[in-house]
Amino acid sequence: KSSTTLGTIGLDENGLMHVEGPPDWVGAYSPESRKIRIERFLAKRNHRVWVKKVKYDVRKNFADSRLRVKGRFVKKEDEMLMRDLMSLT
């Protein structure tokens, strides 16, 4: 354990770092700094892009036309063989 002006830093029974500070603190953060960190997190989360945008239509069309097995592309030579076998049935 080491002591600082902010409190006591040590390891708990699970070997995780534990910071013991003033009673109104949450972990190692004062209420003001915690509020700033949470506001920054929420602002960044609100600016995330959740909708995928296709940049190159050519690549998308090519990927859609390729044969897949369990979501993975099949090698070109295997794809030709599988297409020939599928056309026979």
Side-chain angles (χ1 to χ4, degrees):
K1 283 192 172 184
S2 65
S3 184
T4 66
T5 57
L6 299 176
T8 307
I9 301 172
L11 299 178
D12 64 6
E13 62 275 356
N14 298 321
L16 300 173
M17 189 171 81
H18 179 72
V19 178
E20 212 172 293
D24 59 338
W25 282 37
V26 178
Y29 303 111
S30 68
E32 302 85 32
S33 65
R34 184 171 186 267
K35 183 180 177 189
I36 292 168
R37 284 176 175 269
I38 290 173
E39 286 172 356
R40 184 167 176 249
F41 164 76
L42 294 174
K44 287 174 73 173
R45 185 174 68 176
N46 288 335
H47 284 92
R48 289 184 191 151
V49 178
W50 297 103
V51 179
K52 185 177 179 186
K53 183 173 76 174
V54 177
K55 290 184 180 181
Y56 303 102
D57 290 328
V58 174
R59 291 182 184 176
K60 173 94 169 92
N61 293 336
F62 183 71
D64 288 341
S65 67
R66 293 272 314 265
L67 188 64
R68 299 173 192 243
V69 174
K70 294 185 180 178
R72 296 183 179 190
F73 292 123
V74 177
K75 291 181 183 175
K76 270 290 188 195
E77 53 269 11
D78 295 340
E79 181 178 349
M80 297 298 182
L81 178 66
M82 290 181 76
R83 287 189 190 276
D84 291 341
L85 290 173
M86 289 169 47
S87 65
L88 295 175
T89 56

